[in-house]
Amino acid sequence: MAFKCTVPAVPTVQVDDANIRITRWDFAPGAVTGWHSHGWPYFVVLLTDGILRIHDGKEVHDNHLVAGQSYMRQAGVEHDVMNGSDHPLSFIEIEVKNPAAFAGTPGQG
């Protein structure tokens, strides 16, 4: 199930290679991603304060987040995302296609 909205969120792919995909998402108030799932684990880092309204197919949850806040999800979770704020909202989404490529990377513990 998806939110009913005629305003799509705007994705801008910044990096897309064999190991990782990094996408900036920009949402006008009420904009949505559309119903989707991810093929890889992913991280989201908010660039602006706002409300991410998440529809998981059964329930809708409002998540009040602040710029710099992050979260991660496993692959395969179906959902739709809406900007529940009354102002534009942006975040960076980092999908990890090949975790083994980052094993032993400096800075990992």
Side-chain angles (χ1 to χ4, degrees):
M1 282 190 219
F3 290 115
K4 296 200 185 309
C5 180
T6 58
V7 181
V10 178
T12 303
V13 176
Q14 298 178 340
V15 176
D16 192 1
D17 61 28
N19 299 319
I20 200 161
R21 178 184 298 146
I22 302 172
T23 306
R24 178 185 172 127
W25 284 92
D26 292 293
F27 294 73
V32 300
T33 58
W35 191 250
H36 67 283
S37 65
H38 296 261
W40 308 283
Y42 66 99
F43 300 85
V44 170
V45 181
L46 274 290
L47 298 175
T48 58
D49 295 355
I51 300 169
L52 282 183
R53 185 166 291 147
I54 310 294
H55 193 315
D56 66 8
K58 297 177 186 173
E59 298 178 331
V60 175
H61 300 277
D62 280 355
N63 300 283
H64 298 259
L65 302 169
V66 297
Q69 191 170 353
S70 62
Y71 66 89
M72 74 89 55
R73 297 282 184 269
Q74 294 299 324
V77 177
E78 293 184 322
H79 59 287
D80 193 1
V81 179
M82 174 187 275
N83 177 6
S85 308
D86 61 1
H87 57 273
L89 179 142
S90 299
F91 62 76
I92 298 292
E93 175 182 86
I94 303 163
E95 297 173 284
V96 182
K97 297 179 180 182
N98 182 12
F102 302 99
T105 300
Q108 290 190 346

